[in-house]
Each structure stands twice: as structure tokens, then as C-alpha cells.
């Protein structure tokens, strides 16, 4: 049974507590000295936190800065790959009206 305390945002009862992790974005670039088949993979030092949990045979998660956008995977590695794709999509500027988490300092 899926319930939601906010419209459009499901919650899953009886799950273990979510876990926060860092995720690094991976970009693929071609070296001018390499053929197309031997593209160099460069891992950026950029990272972001994400929350994930396992529900039966699925891994679910979302980026901490973008809690309204969830994804899933059959394994933790697949979830991380989908989270990287989601991060690129949300930060590309091509999706209008992306909602993001922010912190307000009260005085």
C-alpha cells in the first residue's frame, strides 16, 4: 500500500530508515588520441548526497537536494547510475520548474 502525505509524493510504510550517501557524477569524454571505441572515463570530484532504501527486491532513492524526484534500481549500483542520470537531467536547465531543497537562515 502506497500512501502520501503530500500530493504527488508517495511514502512507503514499514520501510527501514533511509540512508544518506554521497554520489559522484561520472562523465564520459573522448580523448583526442583515442578512437571512439576507447573513450576515456573521467570521474568528477563533484558529489551530492542521496537517500536510499531497499523495498523487497527494489532499491529506491532520491537526491537530497531534489526530494520530489525519485528513482529506483534492481541493485544499488543500478540505483546510483539512475541517480547520476537524474542529477544530470535536473541540473541541465532543460527541465522547467525543477523544485529544489534550500535552507533558510532565520534572524
Amino acid at each position: 500500500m502506497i500512501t502520501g502525505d503530500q500530493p504527488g509524493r508517495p511514502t512507503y510504510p514499514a520501510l527501514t530508515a533511509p540512508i544518506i550517501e554521497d554520489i559522484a557524477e561520472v562523465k564520459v569524454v573522448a580523448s583526442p588520441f583515442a578512437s571512439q571505441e576507447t573513450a576515456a572515463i573521467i570521474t568528477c570530484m563533484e558529489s551530492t548526497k542521496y537517500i536510499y532504501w531497499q523495498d523487497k527486491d527494489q532499491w529506491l532513492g532520491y537526491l537530497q537536494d531534489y526530494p520530489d524526484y525519485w528513482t529506483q534500481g534492481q541493485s544499488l549500483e543500478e540505483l546510483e547510475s539512475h541517480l547520476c542520470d537524474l542529477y544530470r537531467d535536473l541540473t541541465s536547465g532543460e527541465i522547467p520548474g525543477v523544485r529544489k531543497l534550500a535552507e533558510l537562515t532565520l534572524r
Side-chain angles (χ1 to χ4, degrees):
M1 178 176 153
I2 299 174
T3 61
D5 59 351
Q6 297 175 357
R9 178 142 188 233
T11 56
Y12 298 88
L15 296 177
T16 58
I19 302 166
I20 299 175
E21 290 283 339
D22 281 331
I23 188 169
E25 181 180 2
V26 176
K27 294 185 179 181
V28 178
V29 294
S31 164
F33 304 107
S35 67
Q36 245 182 332
E37 294 81 25
T38 58
I41 298 176
I42 298 175
T43 302
C44 297
M45 297 307 290
E46 184 178 0
S47 67
T48 188
K49 293 188 183 291
Y50 70 99
I51 292 82
Y52 74 97
W53 61 96
Q54 187 172 13
D55 184 14
K56 298 180 183 162
D57 61 343
Q58 291 288 316
W59 290 88
L60 299 136
Y62 60 90
L63 301 165
Q64 185 176 16
D65 289 343
Y66 301 92
D68 291 336
Y69 304 93
W70 291 22
T71 190
Q72 65 186 28
Q74 294 290 329
S75 66
L76 187 55
E77 293 78 21
E78 184 179 42
L79 173 64
E80 289 178 346
S81 174
H82 292 172
L83 288 166
C84 283
D85 293 341
L86 181 61
Y87 179 82
R88 280 192 293 274
D89 290 344
L90 294 172
T91 58
S92 70
E94 294 181 20
I95 300 174
V98 172
R99 295 179 301 269
K100 185 174 179 178
L101 177 70
E103 185 171 334
L104 178 65
T105 303
L106 302 174
R107 296 181 189 169

